[in-house]
Amino acid sequence: MKKEGKVLFKDSLDGKMDLSKYIIEAKGLVPIPYLITEPALGGFGGALAALYFSPKKRPLGYKGYIPPDITAGFAMYTANNSWAGGLIRIGSFPEIGVKYRIGGAYADINLNFYHESDIVGTKELEFNIKSTPLLLSFSKKILNKDLYLGLQYLYADNTLKPNFNESLPSFITSKEMNGRMSTLGTFLEYDNTNTIFTPNKGVKINLLYSVDENWTGSDYSFQEIHGYFNWFLPIKSNWVSGLHLDFQQVYGDAPFYLKPFVVLKGIPTARYQGNSVYVVETEQRFDINYRWSIVGFGGLGKTIDENQNFSTGTTVYNYGTGFRYFLARAFNLRAGLDIAKGPDSWGYYVVFGHSWNR
């Protein structure tokens, strides 16, 4: 039995550690201890995720990649006393061209937000945010292609408490400190990447329009457009080039903590916010051998506030490097560690799959 257990975690191709057989044959519940390195959450913490993979059978005549269904539970705690726990299910019915996501969580997060002022410069404000988010997403393949049309609903009761003694700044209203989000959105998604984990080739495009209004059950009134583009191109057999473009725009009266922010490794969460946010990033992966790879990446982010234009907005950057291990060949899943430099700080990140996964 012990011998069989060892074989279960080895690849028959090269004899190296690999989770593919465990996931497929044992229908494994994979426990993943995870190091949280997000600077905005104290720079250090831990999480335990339990992932259950359910590989899908290919319907007769079906062409293309079919991802496994994934059921996951997680719990986390970080150095600045932030904690959260939740469940999510990501699945599909390929025979009828349907994908879905459903998830719920409770979060008690301590997070810094930043406000620029001509008088005092950059002011850092820490808030405790208690939230109970619930996500429902459903999409249907259209035009018999890799194109999906979907609906998404996000609900959350959010309660904010300042972790500072002075009064609230003038740009924050009392209504923003305790409110209900009820966001209804519709999206188009095109995805012909070869895996949902660590793609080697293909394109993924997503365009979402969402609304928070009284008629959706929200305490707020704003709309958001969010689009992203991921492109993976194999330059050589051991070199995969990736390009990521991201755009977010809010209209109306969005609470300060829900405004878009630059998402780049090396830049703390919510450090650079605006009514409009643009991001471009590239990642180059070089496979040293069958199992090990090195990556290099770099990007630019741009934030534009309500009274700014593109030329007067804030521009930030990142760059860094890391490594990957080919953890599950059958799923094209790689995992590793990145170190990144932003304009104000360094950060290091555990990567499971790909940094651009959403």
Side-chain angles (χ1 to χ4, degrees), residues 223-266:
Q223 304 83 44
E224 181 176 3
I225 297 174
H226 183 195
Y228 66 87
F229 169 87
N230 296 339
W231 182 29
F232 301 93
L233 179 66
I235 305 295
K236 293 184 177 180
S237 60
N238 67 335
W239 176 12
V240 175
S241 178
L243 176 66
H244 172 66
L245 306 176
D246 197 294
F247 163 72
Q248 294 183 75
Q249 171 76 53
V250 293
Y251 303 92
D253 191 21
F256 75 95
Y257 61 93
L258 293 180
K259 286 189 176 183
F261 55 86
V262 171
V263 179
L264 285 171
K265 285 175 288 189

mmCIF file of all heavy atoms in Angstrom, residues 223-266:
data_model
loop_
_atom_site.group_PDB
_atom_site.id
_atom_site.type_symbol
_atom_site.label_atom_id
_atom_site.label_comp_id
_atom_site.label_asym_id
_atom_site.label_seq_id
_atom_site.Cartn_x
_atom_site.Cartn_y
_atom_site.Cartn_z
ATOM 1 N N GLN A 223 -22.095 52.183 -11.946
ATOM 2 C CA GLN A 223 -21.934 51.156 -12.962
ATOM 3 C C GLN A 223 -20.434 50.958 -13.209
ATOM 4 O O GLN A 223 -19.627 51.855 -12.943
ATOM 5 C CB GLN A 223 -22.617 51.552 -14.275
ATOM 6 C CG GLN A 223 -24.096 51.884 -14.152
ATOM 7 C CD GLN A 223 -24.328 53.307 -13.716
ATOM 8 O OE1 GLN A 223 -23.683 54.225 -14.225
ATOM 9 N NE2 GLN A 223 -25.231 53.509 -12.767
ATOM 10 N N GLU A 224 -20.089 49.788 -13.734
ATOM 11 C CA GLU A 224 -18.681 49.497 -14.009
ATOM 12 C C GLU A 224 -18.544 48.707 -15.307
ATOM 13 O O GLU A 224 -19.350 47.829 -15.613
ATOM 14 C CB GLU A 224 -18.050 48.708 -12.859
ATOM 15 C CG GLU A 224 -16.585 48.392 -13.086
ATOM 16 C CD GLU A 224 -15.928 47.696 -11.897
ATOM 17 O OE1 GLU A 224 -16.638 47.403 -10.916
ATOM 18 O OE2 GLU A 224 -14.714 47.440 -11.967
ATOM 19 N N ILE A 225 -17.523 49.068 -16.062
ATOM 20 C CA ILE A 225 -17.095 48.285 -17.217
ATOM 21 C C ILE A 225 -15.723 47.722 -16.899
ATOM 22 O O ILE A 225 -14.827 48.451 -16.461
ATOM 23 C CB ILE A 225 -17.027 49.138 -18.492
ATOM 24 C CG1 ILE A 225 -18.409 49.664 -18.857
ATOM 25 C CG2 ILE A 225 -16.463 48.324 -19.652
ATOM 26 C CD1 ILE A 225 -18.391 50.626 -20.033
ATOM 27 N N HIS A 226 -15.566 46.421 -17.085
ATOM 28 C CA HIS A 226 -14.283 45.773 -16.816
ATOM 29 C C HIS A 226 -13.984 44.792 -17.943
ATOM 30 O O HIS A 226 -14.791 43.907 -18.238
ATOM 31 C CB HIS A 226 -14.321 45.037 -15.476
ATOM 32 C CG HIS A 226 -13.004 44.408 -15.111
ATOM 33 N ND1 HIS A 226 -12.881 43.455 -14.120
ATOM 34 C CD2 HIS A 226 -11.744 44.583 -15.598
ATOM 35 C CE1 HIS A 226 -11.625 43.091 -14.012
ATOM 36 N NE2 HIS A 226 -10.915 43.761 -14.909
ATOM 37 N N GLY A 227 -12.850 44.976 -18.574
ATOM 38 C CA GLY A 227 -12.445 44.066 -19.632
ATOM 39 C C GLY A 227 -10.993 43.652 -19.481
ATOM 40 O O GLY A 227 -10.164 44.432 -18.998
ATOM 41 N N TYR A 228 -10.692 42.411 -19.851
ATOM 42 C CA TYR A 228 -9.288 41.986 -19.856
ATOM 43 C C TYR A 228 -9.021 41.055 -21.027
ATOM 44 O O TYR A 228 -9.927 40.421 -21.589
ATOM 45 C CB TYR A 228 -8.874 41.353 -18.530
ATOM 46 C CG TYR A 228 -9.544 40.047 -18.183
ATOM 47 C CD1 TYR A 228 -9.039 38.826 -18.626
ATOM 48 C CD2 TYR A 228 -10.677 40.018 -17.369
ATOM 49 C CE1 TYR A 228 -9.642 37.625 -18.291
ATOM 50 C CE2 TYR A 228 -11.289 38.823 -17.029
ATOM 51 C CZ TYR A 228 -10.761 37.634 -17.491
ATOM 52 O OH TYR A 228 -11.369 36.440 -17.157
ATOM 53 N N PHE A 229 -7.738 40.975 -21.390
ATOM 54 C CA PHE A 229 -7.273 40.212 -22.538
ATOM 55 C C PHE A 229 -5.992 39.496 -22.143
ATOM 56 O O PHE A 229 -5.023 40.144 -21.719
ATOM 57 C CB PHE A 229 -7.019 41.177 -23.706
ATOM 58 C CG PHE A 229 -6.296 40.590 -24.884
ATOM 59 C CD1 PHE A 229 -6.982 39.941 -25.895
ATOM 60 C CD2 PHE A 229 -4.915 40.707 -24.991
ATOM 61 C CE1 PHE A 229 -6.315 39.417 -26.993
ATOM 62 C CE2 PHE A 229 -4.233 40.187 -26.074
ATOM 63 C CZ PHE A 229 -4.935 39.535 -27.081
ATOM 64 N N ASN A 230 -5.980 38.182 -22.224
ATOM 65 C CA ASN A 230 -4.786 37.384 -21.968
ATOM 66 C C ASN A 230 -4.410 36.632 -23.238
ATOM 67 O O ASN A 230 -5.264 35.968 -23.842
ATOM 68 C CB ASN A 230 -5.021 36.356 -20.851
ATOM 69 C CG ASN A 230 -5.306 37.002 -19.510
ATOM 70 O OD1 ASN A 230 -4.968 38.161 -19.280
ATOM 71 N ND2 ASN A 230 -5.930 36.272 -18.611
ATOM 72 N N TRP A 231 -3.154 36.719 -23.618
ATOM 73 C CA TRP A 231 -2.675 36.057 -24.843
ATOM 74 C C TRP A 231 -1.407 35.285 -24.515
ATOM 75 O O TRP A 231 -0.456 35.850 -23.968
ATOM 76 C CB TRP A 231 -2.414 37.097 -25.927
ATOM 77 C CG TRP A 231 -1.958 36.517 -27.248
ATOM 78 C CD1 TRP A 231 -2.256 35.299 -27.763
ATOM 79 C CD2 TRP A 231 -1.123 37.175 -28.213
ATOM 80 N NE1 TRP A 231 -1.685 35.138 -28.998
ATOM 81 C CE2 TRP A 231 -0.974 36.288 -29.303
ATOM 82 C CE3 TRP A 231 -0.505 38.420 -28.269
ATOM 83 C CZ2 TRP A 231 -0.219 36.600 -30.437
ATOM 84 C CZ3 TRP A 231 0.238 38.739 -29.396
ATOM 85 C CH2 TRP A 231 0.377 37.849 -30.460
ATOM 86 N N PHE A 232 -1.413 33.993 -24.822
ATOM 87 C CA PHE A 232 -0.264 33.128 -24.593
ATOM 88 C C PHE A 232 0.213 32.582 -25.933
ATOM 89 O O PHE A 232 -0.571 31.979 -26.677
ATOM 90 C CB PHE A 232 -0.628 31.983 -23.650
ATOM 91 C CG PHE A 232 -1.109 32.449 -22.304
ATOM 92 C CD1 PHE A 232 -2.459 32.629 -22.062
ATOM 93 C CD2 PHE A 232 -0.209 32.729 -21.288
ATOM 94 C CE1 PHE A 232 -2.910 33.072 -20.827
ATOM 95 C CE2 PHE A 232 -0.640 33.173 -20.051
ATOM 96 C CZ PHE A 232 -1.997 33.348 -19.820
ATOM 97 N N LEU A 233 1.501 32.790 -26.225
ATOM 98 C CA LEU A 233 2.060 32.408 -27.507
ATOM 99 C C LEU A 233 3.349 31.619 -27.291
ATOM 100 O O LEU A 233 4.303 32.142 -26.695
ATOM 101 C CB LEU A 233 2.354 33.651 -28.351
ATOM 102 C CG LEU A 233 2.967 33.427 -29.729
ATOM 103 C CD1 LEU A 233 1.982 32.699 -30.635
ATOM 104 C CD2 LEU A 233 3.409 34.749 -30.348
ATOM 105 N N PRO A 234 3.423 30.357 -27.766
ATOM 106 C CA PRO A 234 4.673 29.603 -27.670
ATOM 107 C C PRO A 234 5.670 30.069 -28.734
ATOM 108 O O PRO A 234 5.516 29.764 -29.911
ATOM 109 C CB PRO A 234 4.233 28.150 -27.900
ATOM 110 C CG PRO A 234 2.957 28.249 -28.689
ATOM 111 C CD PRO A 234 2.314 29.554 -28.324
ATOM 112 N N ILE A 235 6.677 30.831 -28.314
ATOM 113 C CA ILE A 235 7.694 31.321 -29.245
ATOM 114 C C ILE A 235 8.578 30.176 -29.715
ATOM 115 O O ILE A 235 8.880 30.040 -30.900
ATOM 116 C CB ILE A 235 8.561 32.414 -28.583
ATOM 117 C CG1 ILE A 235 7.673 33.547 -28.031
ATOM 118 C CG2 ILE A 235 9.587 32.963 -29.570
ATOM 119 C CD1 ILE A 235 6.916 34.316 -29.082
ATOM 120 N N LYS A 236 9.001 29.350 -28.771
ATOM 121 C CA LYS A 236 9.771 28.141 -29.044
ATOM 122 C C LYS A 236 9.205 27.026 -28.179
ATOM 123 O O LYS A 236 8.302 27.242 -27.372
ATOM 124 C CB LYS A 236 11.261 28.354 -28.736
ATOM 125 C CG LYS A 236 11.963 29.343 -29.656
ATOM 126 C CD LYS A 236 13.449 29.416 -29.322
ATOM 127 C CE LYS A 236 14.175 30.356 -30.281
ATOM 128 N NZ LYS A 236 15.629 30.429 -29.955
ATOM 129 N N SER A 237 9.743 25.829 -28.323
ATOM 130 C CA SER A 237 9.238 24.698 -27.544
ATOM 131 C C SER A 237 9.434 24.905 -26.047
ATOM 132 O O SER A 237 8.708 24.337 -25.236
ATOM 133 C CB SER A 237 9.926 23.401 -27.989
ATOM 134 O OG SER A 237 11.339 23.498 -27.799
ATOM 135 N N ASN A 238 10.414 25.726 -25.657
ATOM 136 C CA ASN A 238 10.690 25.966 -24.232
ATOM 137 C C ASN A 238 10.481 27.415 -23.825
ATOM 138 O O ASN A 238 10.961 27.852 -22.781
ATOM 139 C CB ASN A 238 12.126 25.533 -23.898
ATOM 140 C CG ASN A 238 13.176 26.416 -24.585
ATOM 141 O OD1 ASN A 238 12.896 27.017 -25.625
ATOM 142 N ND2 ASN A 238 14.354 26.475 -24.012
ATOM 143 N N TRP A 239 9.745 28.184 -24.649
ATOM 144 C CA TRP A 239 9.559 29.615 -24.356
ATOM 145 C C TRP A 239 8.111 29.994 -24.643
ATOM 146 O O TRP A 239 7.654 29.903 -25.785
ATOM 147 C CB TRP A 239 10.524 30.446 -25.188
ATOM 148 C CG TRP A 239 10.369 31.946 -25.052
ATOM 149 C CD1 TRP A 239 9.634 32.626 -24.126
ATOM 150 C CD2 TRP A 239 10.964 32.942 -25.901
ATOM 151 N NE1 TRP A 239 9.734 33.978 -24.325
ATOM 152 C CE2 TRP A 239 10.550 34.209 -25.400
ATOM 153 C CE3 TRP A 239 11.812 32.878 -26.999
ATOM 154 C CZ2 TRP A 239 10.954 35.392 -26.002
ATOM 155 C CZ3 TRP A 239 12.211 34.071 -27.590
ATOM 156 C CH2 TRP A 239 11.787 35.316 -27.095
ATOM 157 N N VAL A 240 7.381 30.397 -23.586
ATOM 158 C CA VAL A 240 6.001 30.856 -23.727
ATOM 159 C C VAL A 240 5.941 32.337 -23.362
ATOM 160 O O VAL A 240 6.367 32.743 -22.275
ATOM 161 C CB VAL A 240 5.039 30.054 -22.831
ATOM 162 C CG1 VAL A 240 3.627 30.634 -22.914
ATOM 163 C CG2 VAL A 240 5.033 28.590 -23.235
ATOM 164 N N SER A 241 5.413 33.133 -24.283
ATOM 165 C CA SER A 241 5.284 34.573 -24.075
ATOM 166 C C SER A 241 3.833 34.908 -23.765
ATOM 167 O O SER A 241 2.913 34.432 -24.446
ATOM 168 C CB SER A 241 5.742 35.326 -25.331
ATOM 169 O OG SER A 241 5.583 36.728 -25.170
ATOM 170 N N GLY A 242 3.618 35.722 -22.740
ATOM 171 C CA GLY A 242 2.267 36.097 -22.345
ATOM 172 C C GLY A 242 2.078 37.603 -22.325
ATOM 173 O O GLY A 242 3.005 38.355 -22.004
ATOM 174 N N LEU A 243 0.869 38.043 -22.699
ATOM 175 C CA LEU A 243 0.513 39.453 -22.663
ATOM 176 C C LEU A 243 -0.831 39.604 -21.964
ATOM 177 O O LEU A 243 -1.785 38.869 -22.257
ATOM 178 C CB LEU A 243 0.418 40.017 -24.085
ATOM 179 C CG LEU A 243 -0.057 41.479 -24.215
ATOM 180 C CD1 LEU A 243 0.968 42.438 -23.608
ATOM 181 C CD2 LEU A 243 -0.330 41.832 -25.675
ATOM 182 N N HIS A 244 -0.917 40.563 -21.035
ATOM 183 C CA HIS A 244 -2.142 40.818 -20.271
ATOM 184 C C HIS A 244 -2.493 42.294 -20.363
ATOM 185 O O HIS A 244 -1.665 43.168 -20.062
ATOM 186 C CB HIS A 244 -1.927 40.426 -18.802
ATOM 187 C CG HIS A 244 -3.044 40.824 -17.885
ATOM 188 N ND1 HIS A 244 -4.305 40.289 -17.957
ATOM 189 C CD2 HIS A 244 -3.080 41.735 -16.866
ATOM 190 C CE1 HIS A 244 -5.075 40.824 -17.026
ATOM 191 N NE2 HIS A 244 -4.360 41.710 -16.358
ATOM 192 N N LEU A 245 -3.730 42.572 -20.805
ATOM 193 C CA LEU A 245 -4.264 43.927 -20.830
ATOM 194 C C LEU A 245 -5.516 43.962 -19.964
ATOM 195 O O LEU A 245 -6.323 43.034 -19.997
ATOM 196 C CB LEU A 245 -4.631 44.347 -22.263
ATOM 197 C CG LEU A 245 -3.553 44.232 -23.336
ATOM 198 C CD1 LEU A 245 -4.130 44.586 -24.703
ATOM 199 C CD2 LEU A 245 -2.363 45.129 -23.013
ATOM 200 N N ASP A 246 -5.677 45.046 -19.195
ATOM 201 C CA ASP A 246 -6.822 45.144 -18.294
ATOM 202 C C ASP A 246 -7.306 46.585 -18.252
ATOM 203 O O ASP A 246 -6.507 47.522 -18.202
ATOM 204 C CB ASP A 246 -6.414 44.679 -16.887
ATOM 205 C CG ASP A 246 -7.608 44.367 -15.999
ATOM 206 O OD1 ASP A 246 -8.353 45.302 -15.667
ATOM 207 O OD2 ASP A 246 -7.795 43.193 -15.636
ATOM 208 N N PHE A 247 -8.634 46.748 -18.262
ATOM 209 C CA PHE A 247 -9.225 48.081 -18.208
ATOM 210 C C PHE A 247 -10.448 48.049 -17.299
ATOM 211 O O PHE A 247 -11.272 47.132 -17.387
ATOM 212 C CB PHE A 247 -9.651 48.539 -19.607
ATOM 213 C CG PHE A 247 -10.613 49.689 -19.597
ATOM 214 C CD1 PHE A 247 -10.186 50.959 -19.250
ATOM 215 C CD2 PHE A 247 -11.950 49.507 -19.921
ATOM 216 C CE1 PHE A 247 -11.074 52.029 -19.229
ATOM 217 C CE2 PHE A 247 -12.851 50.560 -19.904
ATOM 218 C CZ PHE A 247 -12.407 51.828 -19.561
ATOM 219 N N GLN A 248 -10.555 49.049 -16.413
ATOM 220 C CA GLN A 248 -11.734 49.192 -15.558
ATOM 221 C C GLN A 248 -12.161 50.660 -15.534
ATOM 222 O O GLN A 248 -11.312 51.556 -15.463
ATOM 223 C CB GLN A 248 -11.445 48.738 -14.123
ATOM 224 C CG GLN A 248 -11.166 47.257 -13.981
ATOM 225 C CD GLN A 248 -10.955 46.866 -12.535
ATOM 226 O OE1 GLN A 248 -11.889 46.786 -11.739
ATOM 227 N NE2 GLN A 248 -9.713 46.616 -12.174
ATOM 228 N N GLN A 249 -13.471 50.874 -15.559
ATOM 229 C CA GLN A 249 -14.029 52.220 -15.508
ATOM 230 C C GLN A 249 -15.311 52.193 -14.690
ATOM 231 O O GLN A 249 -16.186 51.355 -14.926
ATOM 232 C CB GLN A 249 -14.330 52.716 -16.915
ATOM 233 C CG GLN A 249 -15.116 54.015 -16.981
ATOM 234 C CD GLN A 249 -14.276 55.233 -16.663
ATOM 235 O OE1 GLN A 249 -13.239 55.423 -17.272
ATOM 236 N NE2 GLN A 249 -14.713 56.057 -15.710
ATOM 237 N N VAL A 250 -15.414 53.088 -13.695
ATOM 238 C CA VAL A 250 -16.652 53.206 -12.932
ATOM 239 C C VAL A 250 -17.339 54.529 -13.260
ATOM 240 O O VAL A 250 -16.682 55.539 -13.531
ATOM 241 C CB VAL A 250 -16.417 53.123 -11.401
ATOM 242 C CG1 VAL A 250 -15.941 51.749 -11.004
ATOM 243 C CG2 VAL A 250 -15.463 54.202 -10.924
ATOM 244 N N TYR A 251 -18.670 54.489 -13.260
ATOM 245 C CA TYR A 251 -19.502 55.665 -13.480
ATOM 246 C C TYR A 251 -20.462 55.777 -12.301
ATOM 247 O O TYR A 251 -20.969 54.782 -11.812
ATOM 248 C CB TYR A 251 -20.305 55.528 -14.767
ATOM 249 C CG TYR A 251 -19.471 55.294 -16.008
ATOM 250 C CD1 TYR A 251 -19.193 53.998 -16.421
ATOM 251 C CD2 TYR A 251 -18.983 56.353 -16.754
ATOM 252 C CE1 TYR A 251 -18.435 53.774 -17.564
ATOM 253 C CE2 TYR A 251 -18.224 56.147 -17.897
ATOM 254 C CZ TYR A 251 -17.956 54.844 -18.297
ATOM 255 O OH TYR A 251 -17.212 54.626 -19.422
ATOM 256 N N GLY A 252 -20.712 56.999 -11.863
ATOM 257 C CA GLY A 252 -21.649 57.182 -10.772
ATOM 258 C C GLY A 252 -20.949 57.353 -9.438
ATOM 259 O O GLY A 252 -19.788 57.770 -9.362
ATOM 260 N N ASP A 253 -21.653 56.982 -8.372
ATOM 261 C CA ASP A 253 -21.204 57.258 -7.006
ATOM 262 C C ASP A 253 -20.723 55.982 -6.321
ATOM 263 O O ASP A 253 -21.366 55.473 -5.406
ATOM 264 C CB ASP A 253 -22.360 57.900 -6.231
ATOM 265 C CG ASP A 253 -21.907 58.469 -4.897
ATOM 266 O OD1 ASP A 253 -20.694 58.735 -4.736
ATOM 267 O OD2 ASP A 253 -22.766 58.640 -4.016
ATOM 268 N N ALA A 254 -19.596 55.458 -6.768
ATOM 269 C CA ALA A 254 -19.051 54.234 -6.175
ATOM 270 C C ALA A 254 -18.378 54.543 -4.841
ATOM 271 O O ALA A 254 -17.670 55.546 -4.714
ATOM 272 C CB ALA A 254 -18.044 53.587 -7.112
ATOM 273 N N PRO A 255 -18.576 53.704 -3.803
ATOM 274 C CA PRO A 255 -17.851 53.885 -2.537
ATOM 275 C C PRO A 255 -16.342 53.854 -2.780
ATOM 276 O O PRO A 255 -15.873 53.181 -3.704
ATOM 277 C CB PRO A 255 -18.303 52.690 -1.694
ATOM 278 C CG PRO A 255 -19.579 52.231 -2.309
ATOM 279 C CD PRO A 255 -19.478 52.540 -3.762
ATOM 280 N N PHE A 256 -15.595 54.562 -1.960
ATOM 281 C CA PHE A 256 -14.153 54.685 -2.185
ATOM 282 C C PHE A 256 -13.450 53.332 -2.220
ATOM 283 O O PHE A 256 -12.509 53.125 -2.983
ATOM 284 C CB PHE A 256 -13.532 55.591 -1.105
ATOM 285 C CG PHE A 256 -13.391 54.950 0.248
ATOM 286 C CD1 PHE A 256 -12.214 54.337 0.640
ATOM 287 C CD2 PHE A 256 -14.459 54.949 1.157
ATOM 288 C CE1 PHE A 256 -12.082 53.744 1.891
ATOM 289 C CE2 PHE A 256 -14.336 54.360 2.402
ATOM 290 C CZ PHE A 256 -13.152 53.752 2.767
ATOM 291 N N TYR A 257 -13.916 52.384 -1.419
ATOM 292 C CA TYR A 257 -13.218 51.097 -1.340
ATOM 293 C C TYR A 257 -13.577 50.163 -2.498
ATOM 294 O O TYR A 257 -12.955 49.094 -2.655
ATOM 295 C CB TYR A 257 -13.511 50.408 -0.002
ATOM 296 C CG TYR A 257 -14.970 50.089 0.243
ATOM 297 C CD1 TYR A 257 -15.503 48.850 -0.096
ATOM 298 C CD2 TYR A 257 -15.824 51.023 0.826
ATOM 299 C CE1 TYR A 257 -16.836 48.553 0.128
ATOM 300 C CE2 TYR A 257 -17.158 50.743 1.053
ATOM 301 C CZ TYR A 257 -17.656 49.509 0.704
ATOM 302 O OH TYR A 257 -18.983 49.222 0.919
ATOM 303 N N LEU A 258 -14.562 50.550 -3.318
ATOM 304 C CA LEU A 258 -14.941 49.741 -4.472
ATOM 305 C C LEU A 258 -14.431 50.316 -5.787
ATOM 306 O O LEU A 258 -14.691 49.763 -6.853
ATOM 307 C CB LEU A 258 -16.467 49.594 -4.549
ATOM 308 C CG LEU A 258 -17.115 48.782 -3.420
ATOM 309 C CD1 LEU A 258 -18.623 48.726 -3.617
ATOM 310 C CD2 LEU A 258 -16.534 47.365 -3.363
ATOM 311 N N LYS A 259 -13.702 51.404 -5.722
ATOM 312 C CA LYS A 259 -13.132 51.956 -6.945
ATOM 313 C C LYS A 259 -12.016 51.042 -7.452
ATOM 314 O O LYS A 259 -11.317 50.399 -6.673
ATOM 315 C CB LYS A 259 -12.592 53.365 -6.695
ATOM 316 C CG LYS A 259 -13.695 54.412 -6.549
ATOM 317 C CD LYS A 259 -13.130 55.815 -6.534
ATOM 318 C CE LYS A 259 -14.249 56.855 -6.492
ATOM 319 N NZ LYS A 259 -13.721 58.233 -6.537
ATOM 320 N N PRO A 260 -11.842 50.966 -8.768
ATOM 321 C CA PRO A 260 -10.803 50.093 -9.325
ATOM 322 C C PRO A 260 -9.410 50.486 -8.841
ATOM 323 O O PRO A 260 -9.152 51.650 -8.500
ATOM 324 C CB PRO A 260 -10.929 50.312 -10.837
ATOM 325 C CG PRO A 260 -12.283 50.890 -11.053
ATOM 326 C CD PRO A 260 -12.609 51.656 -9.812
ATOM 327 N N PHE A 261 -8.517 49.514 -8.827
ATOM 328 C CA PHE A 261 -7.135 49.775 -8.455
ATOM 329 C C PHE A 261 -6.203 48.936 -9.324
ATOM 330 O O PHE A 261 -6.601 47.931 -9.926
ATOM 331 C CB PHE A 261 -6.894 49.486 -6.962
ATOM 332 C CG PHE A 261 -7.292 48.098 -6.518
ATOM 333 C CD1 PHE A 261 -6.418 47.030 -6.643
ATOM 334 C CD2 PHE A 261 -8.542 47.876 -5.955
ATOM 335 C CE1 PHE A 261 -6.788 45.758 -6.223
ATOM 336 C CE2 PHE A 261 -8.922 46.612 -5.540
ATOM 337 C CZ PHE A 261 -8.036 45.547 -5.670
ATOM 338 N N VAL A 262 -4.957 49.367 -9.400
ATOM 339 C CA VAL A 262 -3.950 48.668 -10.198
ATOM 340 C C VAL A 262 -3.633 47.327 -9.549
ATOM 341 O O VAL A 262 -3.316 47.254 -8.362
ATOM 342 C CB VAL A 262 -2.668 49.512 -10.317
ATOM 343 C CG1 VAL A 262 -1.543 48.705 -10.966
ATOM 344 C CG2 VAL A 262 -2.944 50.777 -11.118
ATOM 345 N N VAL A 263 -3.742 46.264 -10.335
ATOM 346 C CA VAL A 263 -3.373 44.924 -9.877
ATOM 347 C C VAL A 263 -2.101 44.503 -10.604
ATOM 348 O O VAL A 263 -2.131 44.102 -11.769
ATOM 349 C CB VAL A 263 -4.502 43.905 -10.133
ATOM 350 C CG1 VAL A 263 -4.073 42.513 -9.674
ATOM 351 C CG2 VAL A 263 -5.784 44.321 -9.423
ATOM 352 N N LEU A 264 -0.988 44.651 -9.928
ATOM 353 C CA LEU A 264 0.319 44.226 -10.416
ATOM 354 C C LEU A 264 1.126 43.709 -9.234
ATOM 355 O O LEU A 264 1.082 44.300 -8.148
ATOM 356 C CB LEU A 264 1.079 45.386 -11.069
ATOM 357 C CG LEU A 264 0.643 45.845 -12.470
ATOM 358 C CD1 LEU A 264 1.368 47.131 -12.853
ATOM 359 C CD2 LEU A 264 0.893 44.771 -13.515
ATOM 360 N N LYS A 265 1.847 42.632 -9.434
ATOM 361 C CA LYS A 265 2.705 42.129 -8.364
ATOM 362 C C LYS A 265 3.744 43.185 -7.999
ATOM 363 O O LYS A 265 4.269 43.888 -8.858
ATOM 364 C CB LYS A 265 3.396 40.830 -8.818
ATOM 365 C CG LYS A 265 2.476 39.637 -8.835
ATOM 366 C CD LYS A 265 3.137 38.388 -9.397
ATOM 367 C CE LYS A 265 3.326 38.489 -10.894
ATOM 368 N NZ LYS A 265 3.774 37.208 -11.483
ATOM 369 N N GLY A 266 4.024 43.321 -6.697
ATOM 370 C CA GLY A 266 4.938 44.341 -6.217
ATOM 371 C C GLY A 266 4.243 45.624 -5.814
ATOM 372 O O GLY A 266 4.881 46.530 -5.262
#
